[in-house]
Amino acid sequence: MVADGPTSAGAPIDILGVTQAFRSGGKDLPVLDDVSISARQGEFVALIGPSGSGKSTLLRLLAGLDKPLFGEVYVGGAPVTGPDPSRPLVFQDPTLLPWRTVRQNVAVGPQARGILKQSRGRIDAALELVGLTEFADAWPAQLSGGMAQRAALARALVGDPSVLLLDEPLGKLDALTRRVLQGELLSLWRERGFTAVLVTHDVSEALLLADRVVVFSPRPARVREAIDVDLGRPRDQSTREFNALRRHILEILDADQTGPDRDRTARADHIARLDDKEVLT
Ligand SMILES: Nc1ncnc2c1ncn2[C@@H]1O[C@H](COP(=O)(O)OP(=O)(O)O)[C@@H](O)[C@H]1O
Ligand SMILES: [Mg+2]
């Protein structure tokens, strides 16, 4: 329960041989190709890959919004059969209802489940967790981008998630707000103990936050590599180790974009240039 302080609520994840395709224009569009990813209880996993490779598709499977064509998805040892408040999905766009206050937005889930009355404490606790207590009665239009995303996080936390699914949640925020929210996300993860799956296109963000970074190939996505981030916390982006990991991930992504036939020197140059950019896709 949110109101009861920290729980060891994290659930392990097992994605086993998942293949997904969509029917598009009379043809099958393969999106995920035999993808297997596991996460330990309470692990923070970042997922990075080219635009359109299938990252959001994978999160939707974990959220129970879609079913895979082949393969299995388990959370906490049980197959995922549908959406559940214990597996909320947070999007890039906070999608707050404009005619509801911040508190009423956070209350949407409990209200829909008919447990609004007994959830008052949890709603207040969720608002407190994201630092929005003073803005509980504000309207979404009155919030900054960062505050709106905090409200979206509170809405996800109110269900006491065992798995928090994050689809580029900080993607639209300015660099400074983004840094602040990265820190807050990390504190929430530490405090609440949920397993986190963060889709991001920012290699540094993945390395700042995650225990492990899974790199996807272009669509149909296969797991190119899963990289353990053996760096202590808090992390320092300026260290040699951090930059070695960053360079390694950029190399994988860049090799996919330029193709295997390109001249190796040209590719190395390209990587050096990419190195100066945070954002890849
Ligand atoms: N419901 C759907 N129907 C048809 N095509 C889809 C559907 N959902 C996603 N796609 C396609 O699957 C591919 C992967 O999408 P997505 O998972 O959103 O990629 P990413 O999040 O990595 O950018 C894209 O080509 C997208 O157009
Ligand atoms: Mg996406």
Side-chain angles (χ1 to χ4, degrees), residues 11-225:
I13 293 172
D14 288 292
I15 297 162
L16 305 172
V18 162
T19 290
Q20 184 69 316
F22 295 108
R23 197 110 191 115
S24 165
K27 288 206 308 195
D28 278 332
L29 181 78
V31 175
L32 300 173
D33 180 13
D34 195 18
V35 168
S36 296
I37 300 170
S38 290
R40 297 183 309 273
Q41 174 177 2
E43 193 179 6
F44 199 128
V45 177
L47 181 56
I48 202 158
S51 193
S53 56
K55 304 179 295 294
S56 297
T57 300
L58 189 86
L59 287 189
R60 288 179 60 82
L61 294 175
L62 280 168
L65 298 169
D66 285 323
K67 288 200 165 58
L69 198 55
F70 299 110
E72 274 135 309
V73 181
Y74 293 92
V75 170
V80 170
T81 54
D84 192 273
S86 67
R87 277 179 278 107
L89 186 48
V90 177
F91 302 96
Q92 190 173 67
D93 186 337
T95 63
L96 300 173
L97 301 170
W99 59 88
R100 284 177 161 245
T101 64
V102 169
R103 187 198 306 277
Q104 288 165 345
N105 267 284
V106 174
V108 159
Q111 190 176 12
R113 296 197 295 285
I115 53 165
L116 184 58
K117 262 208 177 119
Q118 55 269 51
S119 300
R120 297 239 181 259
R122 284 170 159 239
I123 293 164
D124 285 341
L127 287 165
E128 174 91 43
L129 271 173
V130 300
L132 281 184
T133 302
E134 281 171 40
F135 293 88
D137 298 318
W139 301 100
Q142 296 173 298
L143 304 180
S144 67
M147 285 158 78
Q149 206 49 296
R150 283 192 187 99
L153 272 171
R155 190 178 49 190
L157 292 168
V158 80
D160 196 18
S162 57
V163 172
L164 186 59
L165 305 168
L166 302 152
D167 199 348
E168 306 197 31
L170 312 182
K172 276 194 181 159
L173 304 175
D174 64 86
L176 199 62
T177 309
R178 192 178 177 121
R179 287 304 297 270
V180 172
L181 260 81
Q182 283 168 349
E184 291 179 6
L185 194 55
L186 213 47
S187 308
L188 287 170
W189 169 70
R190 274 228 190 84
E191 211 169 306
R192 306 303 313 164
F194 49 75
T195 306
V197 184
L198 169 76
V199 166
T200 177
H201 56 240
D202 181 340
V203 179
S204 295
E205 180 169 282
L207 288 172
L208 273 174
L209 300 181
D211 295 315
R212 202 147 47 94
V213 180
V214 175
V215 184
F216 266 5
S217 73
R219 187 187 63 78
R222 298 186 66 100
V223 175
R224 274 280 183 262
E225 205 171 316

